[in-house]
Amino acid sequence: MGAVHGFAVITAVLVGLGHRSVGYASYADGHPDELEIVAVAEPDPVRRVRYAKRFGVDESNCFESAADLAAAGKLADVAINGTMDEIHVETTIPLLEVGYDVLLEKPIAPSKDELKALEEVVERTGQKVVICHVLRYAPFYLAIKERVAGGDIGDIIHIHTTENVSYHHMAVAFIRGKWNRRDVNPMLLAKCCHDLDLLCWFKSGIQPKKVASFGGRHFFTRGNAPEGGSSYCEDCEIERGCEYSALRHHVDNGWWPFYALAGEASYESGGEVDEQQKLAHVADSQYGRCVWCCDNDVVDRQSVIVEFEDGCVATHDMVTNSAKGVRRIQITGTKGEIYGDMIEGKFTLSKPGATTGSEALVEEVDVDLQGDHHGGGDLRLVADFLSVVKGEGGSISTTTLSDSINSHLIAYAADIAMREERVVSID
């Protein structure tokens, strides 16, 4: 059964057949000598059949749930868990108990109690859990990490990161969509646990100690609904001139089909979906609602300040309603600083230059952004996971469950700090 038993190919089961787990599993397409998908677990029968066929999985290895899959015994070397956030822990624990190593989509868990429960099972079973913090594997951030680890800017004394969430991503995922409620996940955990993980990664080995945070939901509220609007875009008299029109986003422009067309019969079966089918589906779904008239309660902006035990301060700003999605970073060290933009794939390394007669010595770095999603990180993550499972030690980017805990503790603390207007200590 796979490379961990001395063979060339690691076998895997897929749990939850959303676009994230299927995206990771696509590594097998280009590397059939490294990864083979042998079983799937998915409650939706259409998706179950579609992706079983896609990966050549026998009908006898198709299951409705992670529990059913685990009850069948260990069918493969590893599991790729891409279920919804709120059931990550309950679906992962049975897999660990059976003996699977798990590649788990982020965030790990919506609460400290669930995080602790998972950690206890990992410690008891000795199985590996690698978290999908894919930005660690993006060439842009990896190049910066290598410069930091090499001592190019000395010891880090301050980090500032920013994520600008595009208006259309905010609308589909965090206003109309699955992550629009704080009781599922606070916005910072759902959208920015990648960014908080980067803070901890750059400060690897140094614990975060205190967290403060400010933010709220001030723009996407009913009070800001424009005159002439309606609760659904389909019958709205100003829809054609609205930048948040669901019909513009998902029908005219074809954005975010894996969210907006979920449940549409032709789309789910892998067939073509014409404009009328898209219109009919979107207009009557949750994704056809007015952004000012939804049941969303997550923040639409939030800033976080973290103090590490060595005195380093890190800040992260999450800003929505941006014209385009952008991630930026600035790291200041005792010997220099790095500033860059992930979307452009460029960063600048600057050092004081007084001894050479210059104000600053500047190096411009252009990173190759060719690759898959998340700046080229998704499939590199899968390759690294396979390396870990094979006992090859992983890479500088490897993130295990224990590595990922700090970023989640920061997110939990930031939510408390923002709501209770106080500084929260991380124990």
Side-chain angles (χ1 to χ4, degrees), residues 15 28 65 92 162 206 236 287 289 376 404 420 424:
V15 183
S65 67
T92 297
T162 304
I206 309 298
C236 176
Y287 294 104
R289 297 179 295 172
S404 297
E420 298 185 4
V424 176

Side-chain angles (χ1 to χ4, degrees), residues 104-372:
L104 178 60
E105 176 63 351
K106 62 78 188 171
I108 303 167
S111 71
K112 279 202 300 185
D113 290 342
E114 287 190 59
L115 186 63
K116 182 179 179 181
L118 181 60
E119 186 181 21
E120 289 174 349
V121 175
V122 169
E123 291 177 354
R124 175 169 52 80
T125 62
Q127 298 303 131
K128 300 178 179 68
V129 174
V130 172
I131 309 304
C132 297
H133 285 307
V134 295
L135 291 187
R136 289 185 176 212
Y137 299 87
F140 173 78
Y141 289 111
L142 180 56
I144 292 175
K145 174 67 173 181
E146 289 172 343
R147 292 302 188 96
V148 170
D152 285 15
I153 63 169
D155 296 327
I156 297 175
I157 59 177
H158 189 273
I159 308 174
H160 179 208
T161 58
T162 304
E163 180 175 12
N164 290 74
V165 185
S166 72
Y167 66 98
H168 50 85
H169 191 182
M170 183 66 184
V172 72
F174 306 102
I175 300 177
R176 296 172 171 133
K178 301 175 182 178
W179 296 275
N180 74 344
R181 301 289 300 175
R182 185 184 161 275
D183 56 7
V184 172
N185 260 331
M187 177 72 173
L188 198 68
L189 187 63
K191 188 70 188 77
C192 296
C193 68
H194 285 312
D195 307 274
L196 300 182
D197 176 68
L198 288 175
L199 301 183
C200 297
W201 187 43
F202 288 122
K203 291 294 295 180
S204 182
I206 309 298
Q207 297 298 310
K209 300 300 292 183
K210 297 178 182 179
V211 177
S213 184
F214 302 92
R217 180 174 67 95
H218 303 291
F219 183 53
F220 294 107
T221 65
R222 289 182 181 270
N224 288 323
E227 291 187 16
S230 174
S231 57
Y232 276 80
C233 295
E234 181 189 29
D235 58 4
C236 176
E237 64 184 49
I238 63 172
E239 177 268 326
R240 287 288 86 183
C242 179
E243 294 293 350
Y244 299 95
S245 163
L247 307 185
R248 289 285 195 193
H249 290 189
H250 309 308
V251 180
D252 298 353
N253 299 333
W255 297 338
W256 307 100
F258 43 84
Y259 292 151
L261 298 183
E264 203 285 328
S266 295
Y267 179 78
E268 292 290 11
S269 62
E272 293 293 326
V273 185
D274 64 30
E275 185 172 312
Q276 287 305 310
Q277 289 173 303
K278 291 180 182 179
L279 182 62
H281 182 77
V282 171
D284 195 39
S285 75
Q286 69 187 80
Y287 294 104
R289 297 179 295 172
C290 172
V291 292
W292 286 282
C293 300
C294 291
D295 58 343
N296 56 303
D297 68 357
V298 297
V299 300
D300 51 33
R301 81 289 306 269
Q302 186 172 358
S303 294
V304 183
I305 306 172
V306 183
E307 183 182 69
F308 287 82
E309 62 183 3
D310 65 350
C312 173
V313 173
T315 62
H316 177 66
D317 297 322
M318 187 280 295
V319 185
T320 70
N321 201 42
S322 296
K324 66 177 184 176
V326 175
R327 274 187 166 100
R328 296 188 177 95
I329 186 167
Q330 182 171 11
I331 307 177
T332 303
T334 54
K335 297 180 179 179
E337 65 181 354
I338 290 173
Y339 175 82
D341 183 317
M342 189 192 87
I343 302 302
E344 291 184 356
K346 299 177 181 179
F347 66 86
T348 301
L349 194 157
S350 303
K351 295 182 179 182
T355 57
T356 65
S358 301
E359 179 182 8
L361 304 176
V362 178
E363 178 185 355
E364 302 285 349
V365 180
D366 193 345
V367 181
D368 180 11
L369 290 184
Q370 296 298 316
D372 54 307

